[in-house]
Amino acid sequence: MFDSMSLEQMRTYRGRQEVPADFDQFWATQKASIKGLPAHQLVKKDFRFAQADFYDLTFTGTNASQVYAKCIFPKLETFPVLFYFHGYQGQSPDWSESLKFVAAGCGVVSMDVRGQAGHSQDFGQFTGMTVKGQVIRGALDGKEKLFFKDVYLDVYQLIELVASFKQVDENQLFSYGASQGGALALVAAALNPRIQKTVSIYPFLSDFKRILELGNHSEAYDELFRYFKFSDPFHRTEEAFLQTLSYIDVKNLAHLISCPVHMLICLEDTVCPPSTQFAIYNRLEGQKHLEILPDYGHDALNVQVNDWVFDALFDTRIL
């Protein structure tokens, strides 16, 4: 384990930087800039599946980018919906991966993050290094131009759009994911109060100052170190650079979450250091529940852990 902090220290750790004074106003302004529901297309797939209907959903996000999501809706009069987010650089899961949730009577919507391996396309323009990674993209242009700012707004708009569909029970919307997906599940709840429960597994995109302190051990965060190594070797812009990134730091969004949150942290995680995840959990102000896996890293989930996910999402006796 390369995270040098003890578990006892992690249990009270809240991160290296505080929330910017204008943070809440910044995100309120970003959401207010979105007027009405986005232009979209919902195209039915011919999968001939008796229990559910399958759709390709495409909508116009910020910068006129085109955002894609898979939708599976059970053939019920009304149904809840799970927003299922994928990991960094990846894409929405295979259709069949979501059928276990559909079997529970829940619709599933899985968004492809723009500019990654799926169908969503990013049309933003950015100054500076774009050779590797999206965490730092747009940082030299200011907080309004951050790449992940637009991704977070995609998440917000997706929830608003799906909630408007007539068969969707807008009072039963949940978010779920692991790694980048775990971060976006939390972002969903922070920016859109329609989310009623969140399950987040080893979330990414947290506590960037701590990441720099720990050193470049994670491919997922390598771009932070490449920026300084090649663009600012004396770290003269570090304070301003990290201040800009703080507007997409998930730990800084935690206080905006009002719904119950289940988090899972693996103590051997060398991709998203455990301390950076505890910084999120310790800032949550509502109902929350934490599970710790001492022997796991950023691994595929054990069958028993998958059972826990299912119970956390659908068993109302838990939170």
Side-chain angles (χ1 to χ4, degrees):
M1 182 170 76
F2 78 89
D3 198 323
S4 58
M5 197 175 291
S6 70
L7 178 57
E8 182 179 1
Q9 291 172 314
M10 290 183 196
R11 289 191 183 278
T12 58
Y13 177 68
R14 292 171 59 87
R16 284 291 186 256
Q17 293 176 287
E18 285 305 314
V19 179
D22 66 340
F23 185 88
D24 290 8
Q25 183 57 52
F26 171 78
W27 280 108
T29 299
Q30 293 301 314
K31 292 197 296 182
S33 70
I34 297 172
K35 307 299 183 183
L37 298 176
H40 68 280
Q41 288 186 313
L42 188 66
V43 180
K44 191 173 183 179
K45 310 283 286 186
D46 185 18
F47 286 167
R48 303 180 184 180
F49 192 79
Q51 290 78 29
D53 293 318
F54 299 73
Y55 299 89
D56 290 324
L57 172 63
T58 306
F59 68 89
T60 302
T62 54
N63 303 324
S65 297
Q66 295 300 298
V67 183
Y68 169 83
K70 295 183 176 83
C71 299
I72 309 177
F73 296 150
K75 293 183 178 180
L76 301 171
E77 185 175 344
T78 60
F79 47 82
V81 167
L82 175 66
F83 294 91
Y84 182 177
F85 298 102
H86 67 79
Y88 193 39
Q89 303 177 11
Q91 60 187 299
S92 54
D94 182 81
W95 296 96
S96 62
E97 166 67 18
S98 298
L99 292 181
K100 59 190 177 186
F101 302 116
V102 177
C106 189
V108 181
V109 175
S110 304
M111 183 186 83
D112 284 350
V113 173
R114 56 169 72 190
Q116 295 188 15
H119 296 296
S120 297
Q121 300 180 54
D122 178 62
F123 298 148
Q125 296 181 331
F126 308 97
T127 300
M129 184 181 291
T130 59
V131 68
K132 184 176 183 180
Q134 297 173 333
V135 176
I136 68 170
R137 195 159 296 177
L140 295 181
D141 299 312
K143 58 192 181 227
E144 293 83 3
K145 295 291 188 178
L146 286 165
F147 173 86
F148 267 103
K149 183 270 295 184
D150 290 316
V151 174
Y152 292 2
L153 291 178
D154 291 342
V155 170
Y156 171 78
Q157 289 197 89
L158 176 68
I159 296 167
E160 287 295 291
L161 179 58
V162 171
S164 74
F165 296 166
K166 65 179 182 179
Q167 288 179 287
V168 170
D169 183 348
E170 62 178 322
N171 296 312
Q172 291 195 77
L173 304 179
F174 316 118
S175 60
Y176 163 65
S179 196
Q180 176 184 254
L184 295 183
L186 292 162
V187 168
L191 296 185
N192 201 313
R194 294 183 186 275
I195 298 297
Q196 298 299 301
K197 186 183 289 187
T198 295
V199 175
S200 176
I201 296 169
Y202 41 62
F204 183 46
L205 298 170
S206 176
D207 203 7
F208 301 120
K209 176 70 171 178
R210 174 70 175 159
I211 295 294
L212 288 178
E213 291 173 353
L214 287 170
N216 191 8
H217 300 281
S218 165
E219 191 274 336
Y221 283 114
D222 179 52
E223 61 202 81
L224 286 172
F225 298 89
R226 288 179 63 87
Y227 167 75
F228 288 107
K229 184 174 182 178
F230 296 109
S231 297
D232 180 19
F234 297 106
H235 284 242
R236 288 170 176 152
T237 65
E238 180 177 323
E239 183 177 354
F241 194 78
L242 290 177
Q243 179 69 8
T244 299
L245 289 182
S246 67
Y247 290 88
I248 58 166
D249 190 328
V250 175
K251 72 174 175 58
N252 292 341
L253 285 155
H255 71 282
L256 297 176
I257 299 174
S258 58
C259 71
V261 174
H262 293 263
M263 271 186 64
L264 185 145
I265 297 176
C266 301
L267 295 185
E268 295 292 332
D269 197 331
T270 59
V271 177
C272 298
S275 60
T276 69
Q277 300 175 52
F278 271 96
I280 301 171
Y281 185 79
N282 293 332
R283 289 174 177 266
L284 293 168
E285 298 176 358
Q287 286 183 290
K288 58 184 181 179
H289 176 76
L290 176 65
E291 291 287 351
I292 296 173
L293 297 182
D295 308 310
Y296 271 70
H298 213 73
D299 298 329
L301 298 184
N302 181 285
V303 171
Q304 294 178 50
V305 179
N306 277 307
D307 288 346
W308 170 83
V309 168
F310 206 86
D311 288 340
L313 284 168
F314 300 116
D315 188 345
T316 57
R317 294 171 298 175
I318 303 177
L319 288 187

